């Protein structure tokens, strides 16, 4: 059992030493070695059946059980896990990004923006910084702060041209502005914003052509600019992929299926 643990732990220690900065919570490296420790404890019990040896093993088992239960809390939810990971690697961007994203997912926009602001003060990779800027743009958009959202998303698009969220959200911002122009009776501004939205949604679809959300938005924008054939094609594909989407009823009306 001890040999098992040492042999299994050696490569794990090598991996952990090299990657711990990128993986601040790395308890999984101990899973296989722990089997050897369990075998070793069983071997002790089998070889020495005195009362004291059994009491010692019982104490070890009880302590191990207690520490295992104590470690369950950080693994209960993603946000709890990454909050626990942050102090282990305060300069690592991944835990900070995951915590901010968790706040955004549950609708804590102020908390998410605070976390993204802190994250952007760290030394992050371009990909991590780009994703943080993109998700910060989503938070600003949900708060109705369109200018701040656009600035953040355009910075994100420069850093992460492979990521579809910035162009998709820029399309959503342009649509929101087009709706505002329509309410004000400014047809020219509405047309400009719809054209801008069309450009951005094409970028998003080029990156993720099968995404039903993008297909719904792209189909509706194609319909509004008079490209009926493209609108029908995209909306039919969107309905095929996600018939229960919140935009499905609108798509069916456009297609004459309602």
């Amino acid at each position: 059992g001890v040999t098992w643990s040492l042999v299994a732990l050696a490569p794990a220690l090598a991996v952990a030493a090299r990657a711990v900065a990128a993986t601040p919570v790395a308890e999984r490296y101990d899973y296989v070695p722990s089997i050897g420790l369990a075998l070793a404890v069983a071997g002790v019990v089998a070889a020495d059946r005195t009362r004291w040896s059994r009491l010692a093993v019982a104490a070890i088992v009880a302590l191990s059980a207690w520490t295992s239960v104590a470690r369950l809390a950080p693994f209960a939810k993603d946000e709890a896990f990454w909050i626990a990971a942050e102090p282990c690697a305060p300069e690592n961007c991944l835990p900070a990004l995951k915590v901010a994203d968790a706040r955004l997912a549950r609708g804590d926009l102020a908390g998410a923006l605070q976390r993204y602001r802190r994250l952007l003060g760290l030394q992050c990779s371009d990909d991590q910084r780009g994703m943080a800027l993109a998700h910060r743009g989503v938070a600003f958009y949900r708060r109705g702060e369109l200018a701040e959202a656009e600035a953040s998303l355009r910075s994100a698009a420069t850093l992460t041209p492979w990521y579809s969220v910035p162009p998709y959200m820029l399309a959503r911002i342009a649509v929101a502005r087009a709706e505002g122009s329509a309410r004000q009776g400014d047809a020219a501004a509405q047309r400009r914003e719809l054209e801008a939205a069309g450009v951005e949604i094409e970028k998003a679809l080029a990156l993720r052509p099968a995404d039903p959300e993008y297909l719904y938005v792209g189909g509706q924008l194609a319909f509004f600019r008079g490209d009926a054939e493209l609108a029908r094609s995209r909306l039919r594909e969107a309905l095929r992929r996600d018939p229960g989407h919140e935009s499905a009823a609108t798509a069916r009306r456009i297609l004459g299926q309602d």
Side-chain angles (χ1 to χ4, degrees), residues 174-175 177-182 185-199 221 224-226:
V175 169
R177 287 174 172 161
E179 291 170 348
S181 297
D186 190 340
Q190 180 188 18
R191 186 166 53 254
R192 284 196 304 273
E193 293 296 347
L194 287 176
E195 289 173 356
V199 170
L221 285 170
F224 289 135
R225 66 175 180 260

Side-chain angles (χ1 to χ4, degrees), residues 158-248:
T158 300
L159 289 172
T160 51
W162 52 266
Y163 195 32
S164 65
V165 169
Y168 167 69
M169 290 305 304
L170 287 168
R172 293 288 298 268
I173 290 170
V175 169
R177 287 174 172 161
E179 291 170 348
S181 297
R183 287 192 295 270
Q184 296 171 4
D186 190 340
Q190 180 188 18
R191 186 166 53 254
R192 284 196 304 273
E193 293 296 347
L194 287 176
E195 289 173 356
V199 170
E200 296 298 340
I201 201 63
E202 291 303 322
K203 294 177 184 177
L205 279 165
L207 294 167
R208 293 190 63 178
D211 190 301
E213 173 72 18
Y214 298 178
L215 287 165
Y216 276 113
V217 175
Q220 291 178 58
L221 285 170
F223 175 76
F224 289 135
R225 66 175 180 260
D227 192 338
E229 183 176 353
L230 181 60
R232 285 195 298 270
S233 172
R234 285 181 173 168
L235 293 175
R236 284 172 180 156
E237 181 63 14
L239 285 167
R240 187 183 71 81
R241 291 183 176 274
D242 187 1
H245 192 276
E246 62 183 1
S247 296

Side-chain angles (χ1 to χ4, degrees), residues 51-81:
R51 177 186 177 190
W52 291 110
S53 68
R54 293 185 178 183
L55 286 174
V57 169
I60 293 171
V61 171
L63 179 61
S64 299
W66 180 81
T67 55
S68 296
V69 171
R71 288 296 293 159
L72 287 178
F75 294 90
K77 294 182 179 179
D78 283 350
E79 185 174 359
F81 174 85

Side-chain angles (χ1 to χ4, degrees), residues 13 16 19 24 28 33 36 54 97 114 136 151 155 191 201 212 237 248 251:
L13 286 174
R28 63 184 180 276
R54 293 185 178 183
L97 178 60
Q114 182 181 21
R136 186 179 72 165
S155 296
R191 186 166 53 254
I201 201 63
E237 181 63 14

